[in-house]
Amino acid sequence: MLLTGLGAAFFYLFAFVAIASAVMVISARNPVHSVLYLILTFFNAAALFILTGAEFLGMILLVVYIGAVAVLFLFVVMMLDVDFASMKRGALDYAPIGAMVGIVLASELLIVLGAQFIGVGQPGSVASPTPDPLTRTNTAALGDIIYTDYIFFFQIAGMVLLVAMIGAIVLTLRPTRPGVKRQNMGKQVARKVEDSIDVVDVETGKGL
Amino acid sequence: MTVVELTQSLNIAAPELALAVGSMVLLMIGVFAPKDSANSTVTGLAVALLIGVLGWMVFFDEQGTAFGGAFVQDAFAYFFKILTLVGSIVALVMSVGFAREEKFDRFEFPILIILATLGMMLMISATSLLSLYMALELQSLALYVIAAINRDSARSTEAGLKYFVLGALSSGMMLYGISLVYGFTGHVGFTEIAAALTGQERSVGLLFGLAFLLTGLAFKISAVPFHMWTPDVYEGAPTPVTAFFAAAPKMAAMAMLVRVVTDAFGTVTGDWQQIIIFISIASMALGAVAAIGQNNIKRLMAYSSIGHMGYALVGLAAGTVAGVQGVLVYMAIYLAMTLGTFAFILAMRRKDEGNVESINDLAGYAQNNPLQATVLTILMFSLAGIPPLAGFWGKWYVFLAAVEAGLYPLAIIGVVASVVGAFYYLRIIKIMWFDEPESKFVSAAGELRLVMGLSGIFVVGFIVFGGPIAAYAENAAKALF
């Protein structure tokens, strides 16, 4: 099914911006700009998902990748003093290997697509296509599977995560270690303007 | 799944539900309780919770399948769950005195024990490869943390790390096996897999999957050749933790192994039987020979447990109702003997040295404390399999099943291995009764003496009340066939 009309226009818009910003991610000199372009790429990918009716995936991409992962990247890039310019210097040397991986991936994609046309038989997912998004949204479908059919596994997964959390705290938290600065909320809330700010009238040219 | 089905499922899984909710409530209590009494409060409540669940399981017999066939509560599950709960309760009770003496005062320890027990109970009930794997991970993750819980000791940390790395490796292998089985049968549920395997020619891929699956399971029961982690982890972990490791997780892993091979692969007995026979022989042989050179009693018990898993697998190799019954009886007896022996190991404490772990420290135990030395002697005779003690009857059931199934060489190798293995148990007895006495141990805590006494009574009295236990085990074994 090919997109037509307004849908097609939006598709080409989002796809073009996604590819252009993806190129900018690897070519921008400033790493902060790279991360910002990465966010733009994610955002356009999310828009593409929504355009094809996979609204749940689109929203998850927004929440998880942009809301958490990209922000984390941004923090890391801004806080660590990594010399990205020198890391990128030899990047072109890897171009032949990169091209080879690309060719392999592309040919695999062609084989998968070609197999359908020469009639090897359709994979199960194509044989029973997803229902029309207008009659059944995929958020509801996923919810049914995860929270009703597979509720048991979902709950055990929750318990596994609980154990992981307890384990991490048990093995690493040392409340009595000296020299560790801890947050004291009472102290923070009790701070007053008078204790924290000194208004000083500095004479011009004198300094403090 | 409708609301009615879900309610029924929750009803069937009520003991597990109680443990899951109880662990979270205890976590809250532990966080808000005063620091110096948090451990003792939570330990007491945890023991009460586990005993409550055990009582529930004994008095309310709610059987059936739940959660769309991913979970089953049958007679087999009941048998092993009761054993697992007993193992957890006794290990937790035995940790109380140790916690007092060794500053082992983390309130998370009893909570992690409960969560591990929850994982074990889910493992025992798992009837699909998916729930099996999830439950196994829940149990394993809790055990990794418990092994390293004494984080200021380099040996405990090493034990935890070693267990984690090797456990992750075995989980990976098992997952690979599961994916192959799923790929070649198209199902993850045990009954569906069994149905898919009947009448159809088996592919090599499925055999690969089965072998990888058994590898992962053999790791969890520490059967040879996947036993390497056991001595180091047993030695490095704090002693109450070792007692727990040797008891409860072994029950759950063995239950899981038995259920997988009889339920999912019951129609292809010949394919897994040869693997089970091999790991059984290897475990018996290694357990008998490698323990001879050990001086650390925890390492010695590690090799002893490897050997005992080998004997239990003899029953499984038979692949019959009698064989599985033998496995159940053997595991029950193994549990009683192991917990009793660890009560003695925990009681090996001198005023100036703290806990000691060398078997030479037992010298003169008979003169310093004749009553306890007698009970330990009985336990050692039972572990060696001398009639009329419980250990002999365990071996009797599994070897008899093997002979009935025509596996004569396996039974003969088992008998030879148990004769060789008797050496190191007898050596402990000789050190206790005939060596020059060393200084006395401090008198054992009340709960340790209780465990010693109970396990002594079980081992001696098995000849009297072994019949009902064997009948109960037979009933449980029939649930699988």
Side-chain angles (χ1 to χ4, degrees):
Chain A
M1 182 187 74
L2 287 172
L3 287 168
T4 49
L6 204 57
F10 275 114
F11 172 79
Y12 288 119
L13 173 69
F14 292 136
F16 175 76
V17 177
I19 292 173
S21 54
V23 170
M24 287 307 288
V25 172
I26 51 171
S27 60
R29 286 207 169 274
N30 188 332
V32 177
H33 292 175
S34 282
V35 176
L36 292 176
Y37 278 118
L38 189 66
I39 294 175
L40 188 61
T41 316
F42 285 152
F43 192 86
N44 281 286
L48 284 175
F49 272 129
I50 292 171
L51 203 63
T52 52
E55 84 283 355
F56 184 76
L57 263 181
M59 287 302 152
I60 284 295
L61 201 68
L62 276 186
V63 172
V64 176
Y65 277 86
I66 300 176
V69 176
V71 172
L72 209 66
F73 273 160
L74 209 52
F75 267 111
V76 171
V77 165
M78 294 209 288
M79 290 172 116
L80 296 181
D81 186 23
V82 184
D83 188 3
F84 285 97
S86 69
M87 278 170 67
K88 271 188 193 159
R89 205 158 290 147
L92 217 61
D93 298 349
Y94 298 107
I97 297 178
M100 243 165 66
V101 172
I103 290 168
V104 170
L105 287 179
S107 52
E108 280 176 356
L109 210 62
L110 279 178
I111 291 169
V112 170
L113 288 176
Q116 278 189 41
F117 289 110
I118 57 173
V120 173
Q122 290 182 325
S125 55
V126 181
S128 58
T130 46
D132 183 12
L134 291 176
T135 56
R136 185 164 173 73
T137 63
N138 55 48
T139 311
L142 275 172
D144 268 355
I145 292 172
I146 298 176
Y147 302 113
T148 308
D149 295 345
Y150 288 170
I151 178 76
F152 182 57
F153 307 112
F154 185 74
Q155 291 293 330
I156 305 179
M159 295 307 288
V160 172
L161 289 178
L162 177 69
V163 171
M165 191 181 79
I166 297 174
I169 293 172
V170 168
L171 296 180
T172 57
L173 181 71
R174 291 174 190 273
T176 53
R177 175 182 275 180
V180 176
K181 286 186 179 165
R182 292 194 177 280
Q183 194 178 21
N184 183 341
M185 289 189 209
K187 214 171 154 188
Q188 287 178 337
V189 174
R191 257 163 82 96
K192 282 179 290 195
V193 179
E194 301 89 75
D195 310 333
S196 324
I197 302 176
D198 270 336
V199 182
V200 185
D201 194 8
V202 185
E203 267 187 63
T204 320
K206 285 273 174 71
L208 273 174
Chain B
M1 197 184 290
T2 61
V3 175
V4 178
E5 280 171 351
L6 194 62
T7 329
Q8 278 172 352
S9 298
L10 291 179
N11 202 13
I12 288 168
E16 283 77 11
L17 210 58
L19 278 188
V21 175
S23 68
M24 289 178 229
V25 172
L26 285 182
L27 204 54
M28 281 294 129
I29 294 174
V31 170
F32 287 107
K35 283 268 178 302
D36 43 343
S37 68
N39 180 43
S40 48
T41 314
V42 176
T43 308
L45 290 172
V47 171
L49 174 67
L50 288 169
I51 290 178
V53 171
L54 181 63
W56 188 329
M57 300 220 49
V58 172
F59 290 112
F60 297 95
D61 200 6
E62 185 83 43
Q63 298 197 354
T65 53
F67 301 112
F71 180 96
V72 67
Q73 199 86 283
D74 53 7
F76 179 80
Y78 266 91
F79 190 93
F80 267 115
K81 280 183 187 177
I82 288 170
L83 291 187
T84 306
L85 282 168
V86 169
S88 299
I89 291 167
V90 173
L92 207 48
V93 167
M94 289 200 301
S95 78
V96 172
F98 189 86
R100 212 167 32 233
E101 303 290 339
E102 299 276 318
K103 298 278 165 292
F104 179 64
D105 50 354
R106 312 293 303 272
F107 75 85
E108 290 93 346
F109 175 65
I111 291 168
L112 284 167
I113 294 255
I114 291 183
L115 287 166
T117 311
L118 171 67
M120 291 172 211
M121 289 174 66
L122 294 173
M123 274 158 73
I124 294 169
S125 278
T127 45
S128 109
L129 293 174
L130 210 52
S131 54
L132 177 145
Y133 181 74
M134 304 276 300
L136 184 71
E137 282 306 289
L138 176 59
Q139 178 244 19
S140 304
L141 204 58
L143 292 188
Y144 304 147
V145 180
I146 293 174
I149 193 136
N150 191 3
R151 62 185 184 186
D152 294 320
S153 141
R155 277 180 23 186
S156 175
T157 318
E158 185 202 334
L161 195 63
K162 206 171 244 177
Y163 194 19
F164 173 69
V165 172
L166 291 175
L169 182 72
S170 83
S171 286
M173 287 208 219
M174 196 168 142
L175 211 51
Y176 184 52
I178 288 175
S179 67
L180 282 176
V181 170
Y182 174 61
F184 281 92
T185 59
H187 297 284
V188 287
F190 288 177
T191 40
E192 290 92 344
I193 290 175
L197 288 179
T198 38
Q200 162 206 338
E201 200 167 309
R202 295 183 301 283
S203 55
V204 182
L206 181 83
L207 292 181
F208 263 98
L210 179 60
F212 274 106
L213 190 57
L214 289 180
T215 303
L217 294 170
F219 178 91
K220 299 299 171 192
I221 58 165
S222 69
V224 180
F226 311 105
H227 64 285
M228 278 79 150
W229 58 277
T230 322
D232 294 337
V233 172
Y234 277 32
E235 190 189 0
T239 313
V241 173
T242 313
F244 177 64
F245 277 14
K250 289 281 188 320
M251 302 295 133
M254 185 58 90
M256 196 169 75
L257 177 59
V258 172
R259 197 190 283 283
V260 168
V261 295
T262 54
D263 240 25
F265 299 99
T267 47
V268 290
T269 311
D271 290 332
W272 54 261
Q273 200 175 28
Q274 45 186 326
I275 303 176
I276 297 288
I277 288 175
F278 169 73
I279 58 177
S280 166
I281 290 175
S283 305
M284 288 189 294
L286 187 106
V289 177
I292 291 174
Q294 300 302 328
N295 272 322
N296 182 304
I297 194 156
K298 280 157 80 180
R299 281 187 88 85
L300 189 136
M301 286 306 290
Y303 283 108
S304 161
S305 85
I306 293 171
H308 283 293
M309 289 306 121
Y311 296 119
L313 287 178
V314 170
L316 182 59
T320 56
V321 175
V324 173
Q325 178 202 7
V327 176
L328 270 71
V329 174
Y330 200 97
M331 293 311 282
I333 293 168
Y334 166 80
L335 180 74
M337 296 189 300
T338 304
L339 289 173
T341 312
F342 270 100
F344 281 99
I345 296 174
L346 279 163
M348 284 168 63
R349 209 182 148 78
R350 294 219 172 84
K351 201 171 274 168
D352 43 345
E353 293 173 75
N355 275 63
V356 289
E357 293 175 0
S358 164
I359 58 170
N360 291 319
D361 286 309
L362 282 166
Y365 197 30
Q367 285 165 40
N368 295 335
N369 197 334
L371 182 65
Q372 283 181 17
T374 310
V375 178
L376 183 54
T377 306
I378 290 171
L379 280 178
M380 286 298 138
F381 275 131
S382 175
L383 281 167
I386 310 246
L389 301 169
F392 166 74
W393 293 107
K395 291 198 170 87
W396 169 268
Y397 278 107
V398 290
F399 289 154
L400 201 64
V403 168
E404 277 170 5
L407 299 170
Y408 297 104
L410 183 61
I412 291 168
I413 293 172
V415 172
V416 171
S418 71
V419 171
V420 175
F423 169 79
Y424 56 87
Y425 299 119
L426 295 179
R427 184 160 71 118
I428 292 177
I429 296 171
K430 175 240 165 198
I431 289 171
M432 277 194 297
W433 291 87
F434 302 114
D435 279 13
E436 284 299 307
E438 292 214 26
S439 59
K440 279 191 176 184
F441 294 137
V442 294
S443 75
E447 69 270 7
L448 294 182
R449 276 182 294 183
L450 179 72
V451 175
M452 292 171 190
L454 287 178
S455 98
I457 291 169
F458 181 89
V459 166
V460 175
F462 189 82
I463 193 164
V464 180
F465 53 72
I469 292 180
Y472 189 43
E474 190 181 4
N475 183 33
K478 275 183 184 149
L480 288 184
F481 289 93

